[in-house]
Amino acid sequence: MLSKSPSPLLSSPSQPSHNQHGLLLEWRDVQCSVKTWARETKTILNGVSGRARPGRVLAIMGPSGSGKTTLLNALAAQMEKQPGLVLQGEVYVNGEICNRSMASMRKGFVRQEDTFYSQMTVRETLRFVARLRLSPEVPYADKMLVVDSLINKFSLANCADTIIGDSA
């Protein structure tokens, strides 16, 4: 998880609007570096800040090797501790600093390797993924409740029954 690190460049986090649905995710001054086998420090992320607003699409773009996946893994708390890895910065959820209890929240992102079934709707795709990724001990009805909750949290209700399609 990212550790708290003050940043003089940004003021306080955005105040979430009370009439919005979903979660506002903000990150401030995220830094990541690793020690190489030659004992040199390689900076992967240097003071990266941004926000993902509910109901909006966020594209993180850049050339290969620019740290896009590292940033997403850091924000989703999916980086394993390893010697020589230094990860700093602040993450806010709805204006509150992300703490250990928030770190255990379910979160994820669509990786480059993930594929969508172009003939399925957003809801059908989420149901399919829920059935594959959630534990077999979780009853089907509960899995569908998780899907409905995700659709609401990410403000996808208006497009939930839209076929994803493809670019071809």
Side-chain angles (χ1 to χ4, degrees), residues 27-154:
W27 54 98
R28 297 172 55 196
D29 197 28
V30 176
Q31 301 176 43
C32 180
S33 62
V34 293
K35 295 275 187 202
T36 66
W37 61 272
R39 296 180 192 241
E40 298 172 352
T41 300
K42 179 178 179 180
T43 301
I44 301 171
L45 300 172
N46 188 11
V48 179
S49 299
R51 69 177 53 106
R53 298 176 192 263
R56 304 289 302 260
V57 173
L58 171 68
I60 299 178
M61 300 174 12
S64 181
S66 63
K68 301 177 299 291
T69 302
T70 300
L71 175 63
L72 291 171
N73 282 328
L75 295 175
Q78 294 180 356
M79 296 186 74
E80 294 181 22
K81 289 184 181 181
Q82 50 185 295
L85 174 68
V86 177
L87 185 60
Q88 297 177 322
E90 297 174 326
V91 176
Y92 294 87
V93 176
N94 285 345
E96 295 183 33
I97 192 144
C98 192
N99 57 33
R100 291 191 190 272
S101 66
M102 289 179 177
S104 66
M105 290 172 38
R106 284 191 186 150
K107 55 204 164 292
F109 59 92
V110 179
R111 293 178 171 83
Q112 291 173 330
E113 303 84 34
D114 284 358
T115 57
F116 294 104
Y117 296 97
S118 60
Q119 69 277 14
M120 293 171 69
T121 66
V122 172
R123 184 184 315 277
E124 289 168 337
T125 301
L126 289 172
R127 286 179 174 175
F128 180 71
V129 171
R131 291 177 68 193
L132 287 175
R133 293 198 178 183
L134 295 178
S135 170
E137 285 82 33
V138 175
Y140 177 81
D142 290 348
K143 290 177 184 180
M144 297 307 103
L145 288 175
V146 169
V147 169
D148 292 338
S149 173
L150 288 172
I151 287 170
N152 289 329
K153 280 184 183 176
F154 292 114

Side-chain angles (χ1 to χ4, degrees), residues 17-18 51:
S17 169
H18 295 291
R51 69 177 53 106

